[in-house]
Amino acid sequence: MLLRDAITLENAFVRLEPLTTDHADELTAATVGLGHAWYTSVPTPDAVGGDIAQRLAWHEQGSMNPWAIRRLDSGVAVGMTTFCNIDQANRHVEIGHTWLGVDAQRTAVNTAAKLLLLGHAFERCDAIAVEFRTHWHNLQSRAAIARLGAKQDGVLRNHRVGPEGTLRDTVVFSILPHEWPAVRLGLESRLAR
């Protein structure tokens, strides 16, 4: 299976649905009340439609596989996530462009979604590395990635210019296939609590 193939992934907590424009209303509602820190790229309610369109365009180009995240306990779409920077020839992918609505934060949703994405990458798509990237100043994201079991590879200094003109240092983490069994057990253990 290719990393860019649209597929629905589901466990007892969440369903990752291939992103479509039909998700726009629910995802717009999920952005209400979110803080939009200068170091994140979470869309504002009025930008959700454009964000979905951009993700779908990147999917058509083969560089992204986007999903809407649906909580199964409520049946509501609460965020988005992607496989991005897909390098199929080298079986390398990044999990990113992820955001969750306020009601889904500090719940099992992120852990359950990452369990599905990592399992799909390693077990169905034969990935040799799954990467995570975040802004140096996004301490919450850095801590969450480390809790997944990813190891920090390094920091890309002055990696990008932000929309407001600041320079972004990007922290890079990864998980490799031989690490996946222990990471999987850790995520399953967190979900069993």
Side-chain angles (χ1 to χ4, degrees):
M1 178 166 276
L2 300 178
L3 291 160
R4 70 175 305 275
D5 289 346
I7 183 172
T8 300
L9 304 171
E10 184 173 334
N11 57 27
F13 302 91
V14 298
R15 181 171 50 248
L16 303 183
E17 302 171 355
L19 184 65
T20 70
T21 55
D22 293 340
H23 292 107
D25 289 343
E26 283 182 287
L27 293 173
T28 297
T31 64
V32 174
L34 280 177
H36 294 87
W38 64 272
Y39 51 77
T40 66
S41 57
V42 176
T44 58
D46 61 340
V48 170
D51 191 55
I52 290 172
Q54 180 62 73
R55 290 172 190 235
L56 294 177
W58 284 331
H59 182 253
E60 284 301 311
Q61 296 167 6
S63 63
M64 180 178 278
N65 192 352
W67 286 275
I69 304 169
R70 185 172 303 281
R71 285 182 80 150
L72 294 184
D73 61 355
S74 67
V76 176
V78 295
M80 290 192 274
T81 193
T82 75
F83 279 172
C84 55
N85 297 316
I86 295 172
D87 181 354
Q88 188 63 53
N90 291 300
R91 301 186 344 251
H92 189 278
V93 69
E94 177 186 343
I95 294 174
H97 296 268
T98 302
W99 63 266
L100 294 173
V102 173
D103 292 343
Q105 295 176 12
R106 294 176 178 41
T107 69
V109 170
N110 188 52
T111 302
K114 294 302 189 286
L115 180 62
L116 288 170
L117 292 168
L118 289 163
H120 182 59
F122 288 122
E123 297 166 13
R124 292 191 188 124
C125 299
D126 198 28
I128 62 170
V130 176
E131 191 174 277
F132 300 85
R133 294 180 176 213
T134 192
H135 196 293
W136 173 264
H137 290 285
N138 194 339
L139 300 178
Q140 181 181 350
S141 178
R142 288 170 58 184
I145 293 168
R147 278 194 307 274
L148 293 172
K151 292 186 173 55
Q152 184 174 320
D153 296 324
V155 179
L156 304 175
R157 305 284 310 270
N158 286 353
H159 180 234
R160 290 198 323 220
V161 178
E164 66 295 320
T166 61
L167 296 174
R168 170 183 158 147
D169 290 346
T170 299
V171 186
V172 182
F173 295 82
S174 67
I175 298 172
L176 303 179
H178 70 278
E179 298 165 338
W180 167 233
V183 169
R184 182 182 60 234
L185 289 173
L187 293 173
E188 290 170 346
S189 174
R190 285 171 56 190
L191 290 170
R193 292 185 204 151

